[in-house]
Amino acid sequence: MDRNEHVRVAVIGSGFGGLGAAVRLRREGVTDFVVLERAGSVGGAWRDNSYPGCACDIPSHLYSFSFAPNPDWPRAFSGQRHIRAYLEKVADTFGLRPHLRLNHEVLMARWDRAALHWEIETSRGTCTAEVVVSATGPLSDPRVPDIPGLDTFPGKVFHSARWDHEYDLRGKRVAVVGTGASAIQIVPAIQPVTGRLTLFQRTPPWVLPRRDRAISRAERRLHRAVPITGSVRRQLLWAVRELQVNFFTRRHGGPGLVESLAKAHLARAVKDPGLRARLTPSYRIGCKRILLSDTYYPALARPDVDVVASGLAQVRGSTLVAADGTETEADAIVFATGFHVTDMPIAERVVGADGRTLAEAWRDGMESLRGATAAGFPNWMTIIGPNTGLGNSSMILVIESQLNYLADYLRKLDDLGGRGSDGGADLAGRVALDARPSAVRAWNHRVQERMKRTVWSTGGCTSWYLDGKGRNTTIWPGTTAEFRRATREVDLAEYDVIRPFRDGPDDATTSVNEREVVR
């Protein structure tokens, strides 16, 4: 990156959110942008998570951009390798390579009041940008629990998102810590080669059959020859998941049938009543993410697998001690313990208009306006921000809705600043939008009120959806259609408009900004 390079938009991250933003910018006629990526290739979570068995739990034809359909998905639920290849293809197809700045980790982003732009420091140089789109995603920074004595462990330790492919698990005593979406894929993938596998389970998940299958060549040929068939398939998958939302969001929804299906699935695979009891959740189905697997339970029922129904509490050399006192010897520990979701590390690197970091602004819990903008952080937008997550459907649907909001946000800036048809604007015509605190509060009040009756609040569990204060700052409590309507356009009544203050006819860069409040 050239020092002091200035762009209209800087996008942080090159996963689905970042690449989607880049495609939308080009479609809106914005070519003056960069995509800052800390790694050496695109892909985001689908680049970082390469553990054995890694795959998506959303059907392939729904887990792709509507503007970039893929008729050649090989399976109903595609694996990591195919999803990563899809993202690489998106980067090529839409001409995004010239905009990519790989190995550029964002170290700090500061809002400059005088210049009305963001100053961005990266590991490979600096730049400024009028608008920043943060698409780092909530599943980008692994979370490893602080286990006493872990530093004394003589064997191998790594997180599922930082898999050490050089380490050979064959014949080893391997401990897997965690029972979430990664763990249920890792366990059956590595169990056949390990000498002994121990699963440390604090809380058992609800697991339903996956029903994965290969997509036939005939189906793929049909989708290539008649693209509308792929669109119809996508729409049907979407509609089914929209209908499921009531199950999650109604206080008195009927979980009985789904729980019965999950229990029958468990009973078919696990005959030992003691093990079956340890694997049966005590909370309402849906409170934690419902997992899909046909191989998890059969792997746990194998004679060379132990399930410790308690979390890992202490490490004493090669001895792992569970909270219930169970001791296990291990050669390797795999942490499948999730990510920093409600305390995203990027927030510590963003300094807003009043000198506070985004992490400080979110000290009492993450909140934003329509999942995108935060008060005190002008021209900053987050893709997959607070309360945009989904418990049952494809996050690509949310991302595309937020891209609609981004596009209208830029149009509003153009209109307010009088930006010419060539896209240029000097400082005198530059303008910024800052979400009003009252609008952020009102939006989040509505979201949290709706959250009270959902299964995530009433289901009797503690999940990664909740922050340290027990508030759900992660999930969207409605349908994706509702979210799309809510983010179709920017309502200027929810924003303050910031313009540069002129101290004289030739001075457009003073340190004082005036706020034009749009009512």
Side-chain angles (χ1 to χ4, degrees):
M1 176 181 291
D2 295 333
R3 181 167 291 276
N4 298 323
E5 178 182 5
H6 179 77
V7 294
R8 186 174 185 204
V9 182
V11 179
I12 307 175
S14 67
F16 270 99
L19 294 182
V23 172
R24 189 56 184 266
L25 289 172
R26 287 185 61 92
R27 288 189 156 192
E28 292 294 317
V30 178
T31 57
D32 184 15
F33 70 90
V34 293
V35 179
L36 304 172
E37 169 55 56
R38 66 184 178 185
S41 61
V42 303
W46 294 105
R47 175 200 59 237
D48 297 340
N49 288 270
S50 60
Y51 57 79
C54 184
C56 190
D57 60 359
I58 297 296
S60 301
H61 286 83
L62 193 58
Y63 200 78
S64 49
F65 291 120
S66 63
F67 53 79
N70 179 15
D72 293 315
W73 288 118
R75 301 197 65 82
F77 295 89
S78 288
Q80 176 263 348
R81 178 170 60 92
H82 296 105
I83 297 173
R84 184 179 179 184
Y86 170 79
L87 290 172
E88 293 280 1
K89 184 177 180 180
V90 167
D92 290 329
T93 301
F94 292 92
L96 305 183
R97 299 289 178 186
H99 300 278
L100 294 176
R101 301 295 184 268
L102 302 177
N103 298 306
H104 281 65
E105 181 177 6
V106 172
L107 305 176
M108 189 63 66
R110 296 179 182 275
W111 175 250
D112 187 322
R113 292 172 177 264
L116 289 189
H117 67 210
W118 286 92
E119 297 179 346
I120 305 170
E121 177 188 353
T122 80
S123 56
R124 297 280 291 274
T126 61
C127 71
T128 57
E130 295 172 38
V131 177
V132 173
V133 179
S134 177
T136 58
L139 307 182
S140 58
D141 291 277
R143 186 183 66 84
V144 176
D146 184 14
I147 305 295
L150 183 59
D151 57 344
T152 70
F153 185 69
K156 194 69 179 179
V157 178
F158 51 87
H159 190 277
S160 59
R162 301 292 184 268
W163 196 271
D164 188 341
H165 292 278
E166 298 298 317
Y167 184 76
D168 190 354
L169 295 176
R170 284 180 295 183
K172 300 292 196 310
R173 299 168 298 177
V174 179
V176 175
V177 182
T179 53
S182 298
I184 72 159
Q185 295 178 344
I186 292 169
V187 167
I190 68 173
Q191 178 272 322
V193 302
T194 59
R196 188 155 202 90
L197 191 149
T198 301
L199 177 70
F200 284 84
Q201 170 193 271
R202 286 194 306 176
T203 309
W206 285 104
V207 182
L208 289 171
R210 184 175 178 82
R211 307 300 187 207
D212 189 21
R213 67 173 182 86
I215 297 177
S216 68
R217 291 182 180 179
E219 290 174 274
R220 283 179 274 167
R221 282 198 300 268
L222 177 63
H223 293 329
R224 283 196 301 271
V226 188
I228 194 173
T229 60
S231 299
V232 170
R233 185 174 192 157
R234 178 187 177 90
Q235 286 296 110
L236 289 174
L237 291 168
W238 168 78
V240 169
R241 278 153 183 79
E242 290 290 273
L243 292 173
Q244 292 172 349
V245 170
N246 280 338
F247 167 78
F248 294 93
T249 57
R250 288 184 176 179
R251 185 190 301 271
H252 300 297
L257 175 60
V258 183
E259 284 192 6
S260 296
L261 291 173
K263 288 179 179 178
H265 181 52
L266 171 60
R268 281 193 298 270
V270 179
K271 303 305 180 184
D272 177 13
L275 177 58
R276 194 162 61 241
R278 279 175 294 182
L279 297 176
T280 302
S282 59
Y283 55 89
R284 180 179 163 191
I285 192 168
C287 185
K288 290 176 178 282
R289 188 176 180 96
I290 300 173
L291 306 180
L292 305 179
S293 178
D294 298 320
T295 56
Y296 179 63
Y297 287 146
L300 296 184
R302 298 287 299 175
D304 56 353
V305 176
D306 298 312
V307 177
V308 178
S310 183
L312 178 60
Q314 184 182 0
V315 176
R316 294 199 296 262
S318 61
T319 303
L320 311 185
V321 184
D324 65 359
T326 302
E327 295 187 359
T328 300
E329 296 295 313
D331 301 307
I333 305 174
V334 177
F335 283 100
T337 46
F339 301 84
H340 289 276
V341 175
T342 60
D343 57 342
M344 292 187 287
I346 188 65
E348 299 174 354
R349 306 182 184 191
V350 182
V351 181
D354 60 0
R356 289 191 305 166
T357 66
L358 187 56
E360 290 171 332
W362 284 348
R363 183 172 49 245
D364 295 327
M366 297 192 305
E367 60 179 20
S368 64
L369 177 58
R370 302 182 187 274
T373 55
F377 297 83
N379 284 9
W380 176 278
M381 183 172 294
T382 302
I383 304 295
I384 312 184
N387 289 115
T388 60
L390 300 175
N392 72 310
S393 193
S394 172
M395 284 303 302
I396 314 306
L397 302 171
V398 166
I399 289 172
E400 291 197 27
S401 294
Q402 293 199 285
L403 298 183
N404 292 339
Y405 198 73
L406 168 63
D408 195 56
Y409 192 100
L410 295 174
R411 293 187 207 111
K412 292 291 197 298
L413 291 178
D414 285 351
D415 293 343
L416 292 166
R419 186 179 293 266
S421 59
D422 62 354
D426 59 16
L427 179 58
R430 194 172 296 172
V431 67
L433 291 175
D434 189 6
R436 292 183 178 181
S438 58
V440 175
R441 287 194 299 269
W443 172 259
N444 282 276
H445 176 73
R446 293 198 297 272
V447 169
Q448 293 303 322
E449 283 298 304
R450 290 188 65 178
M451 197 71 70
K452 289 180 180 178
R453 67 174 186 266
T454 68
V455 68
W456 307 298
S457 297
T458 65
C461 74
T462 300
S463 72
W464 59 266
Y465 299 149
L466 309 180
D467 63 17
K469 299 180 182 296
R471 192 173 67 140
N472 190 326
T473 59
T474 306
I475 294 294
W476 166 246
T479 65
T480 60
E482 287 179 285
F483 189 79
R484 176 154 294 199
R485 288 194 296 271
T487 54
R488 181 174 292 125
E489 61 182 6
V490 171
D491 180 358
L492 285 178
E494 297 180 326
Y495 288 88
D496 288 336
V497 178
I498 309 174
R499 300 183 186 276
F501 178 76
R502 284 182 177 272
D503 198 29
D506 299 320
D507 183 4
T509 58
T510 58
S511 61
V512 180
N513 296 330
E514 72 171 1
R515 276 177 186 262
E516 171 192 344
V517 179
V518 180
R519 300 190 183 280

